[in-house]
Amino acid sequence: KAGVTQTPRYLIKTRGQQVTLSCSPISGHRSVSWYQQTPGQGLQFLFEYFSETQRNKGNFPGRFSGRQFSNSRSEMNVSTLELGDSALYLCASSLGLKATTEAFFGQGTRLTVV
Amino acid sequence: AQSVTQLDSQVPVFEEAPVELRCNYSSSVSVYLFWYVQYPNQGLQLLLKYLSGSTLVKGINGFEAEFNKSQTSFHLRKPSVHISDTAEYFCAVSNAGGTSYGKLTFGQGTILTVHP
């Protein structure tokens, strides 16, 4: 059974640009969550999508957005990149129950903003 | 709101020694509890979880954790560590009462370094 796949693994972007990251969940999982990991702030929840609908959102500016497709694959987009957006972005897939009982993570996308 | 505190940012230990990584949480509602491990340049791998039932939970790679509701703790233990256990460990919680909708709240992480 394939795990959670995130592409690309590494990205280098310039300030002011935008970026799109992709996440394919485990087959049968309908929920995808996104997290930002930085040395200073640790792991922070961005948002969660289930059946193409955003059900939960963390405390991030509107420059961070996402979407989910009918096959449960998800993308997140960051517009007008800032140096502080440099981070490891992780997605997690789960069954999508109201309470999270298990989440499987991808290997992450390392974004560097220069 | 929920919060998780991992009491040690770094834990050095010698190979074959026992180790305990400490985690305390704060929540006004019931929680589910998790420990994840992260190796360099990798994602998070689930070690174990507590949902209900026995407060002693066994996970992969010989790790176990004990849920203590009165002390709001969920400490991770291993009786004998290996060099390969060197990694960063994260404690996390989710809202068991519903509506957490994919959200895990993480501690700041504990870097475990196993020396030969």
Side-chain angles (χ1 to χ4, degrees):
Chain A
K1 192 173 185 180
V4 180
T5 304
Q6 290 188 246
T7 55
R9 288 292 312 276
Y10 301 93
L11 267 177
I12 300 176
K13 290 287 186 178
T14 303
R15 269 182 303 173
Q17 287 186 314
Q18 74 164 8
V19 66
T20 299
L21 313 181
S22 179
C23 174
S24 293
I26 290 170
S27 177
H29 284 189
R30 295 166 65 190
S31 168
V32 174
S33 299
W34 288 89
Y35 293 83
Q36 181 195 65
Q37 185 178 22
T38 59
Q41 299 299 315
L43 281 151
Q44 294 187 287
F45 174 76
L46 281 155
F47 32 64
E48 186 258 7
Y49 285 86
F50 178 84
S51 291
E52 303 178 64
T53 300
Q54 186 183 89
R55 294 193 302 184
N56 201 358
K57 187 177 186 309
N59 191 23
F60 278 82
R63 300 185 297 107
F64 292 82
S65 63
R67 60 177 176 169
Q68 188 180 36
F69 302 95
S70 58
N71 62 357
S72 295
R73 189 177 71 85
S74 177
E75 290 181 346
M76 69 162 280
N77 183 278
V78 188
S79 62
T80 319
L81 283 165
E82 300 176 359
L83 294 178
D85 297 333
S86 294
L88 180 66
Y89 289 88
L90 293 164
C91 82
S93 109
S94 66
L95 289 171
L97 304 174
K98 283 185 182 178
T100 301
T101 57
E102 193 163 36
F104 298 88
F105 284 80
Q107 293 198 316
T109 295
R110 172 77 62 186
L111 172 64
T112 302
V113 182
V114 298
Chain B
Q2 296 158 338
S3 65
V4 178
T5 302
Q6 291 183 239
L7 297 161
D8 306 292
S9 58
Q10 297 191 56
V11 173
V13 65
F14 286 108
E15 195 173 17
E16 297 184 8
V19 71
E20 178 180 79
L21 306 183
R22 298 179 294 166
C23 171
N24 285 101
Y25 69 91
S26 173
S27 177
S28 56
V29 299
S30 296
V31 296
Y32 295 142
L33 295 143
F34 308 84
W35 275 99
Y36 283 88
V37 61
Q38 185 177 36
Y39 299 100
N41 296 317
Q42 298 293 319
L44 302 176
Q45 180 184 8
L46 181 66
L47 280 176
L48 48 79
K49 62 183 179 181
Y50 173 79
L51 304 182
S52 65
S54 172
T55 57
L56 183 62
V57 180
K58 293 192 185 296
I60 62 171
N61 301 339
F63 284 95
E64 63 181 33
E66 185 155 19
F67 170 54
N68 187 318
K69 188 174 182 179
S70 62
Q71 297 187 5
T72 60
S73 68
F74 191 53
H75 300 333
L76 181 71
R77 302 185 184 104
K78 186 170 183 178
S80 176
V81 294
H82 303 288
I83 296 287
S84 59
D85 292 323
T86 295
E88 190 161 16
Y89 292 79
F90 292 92
C91 181
V93 301
S94 73
N95 181 345
T99 70
S100 67
Y101 293 135
K103 180 180 178 180
L104 294 173
T105 300
F106 286 89
Q108 287 292 102
T110 298
I111 297 173
L112 173 65
T113 305
V114 181
H115 298 284

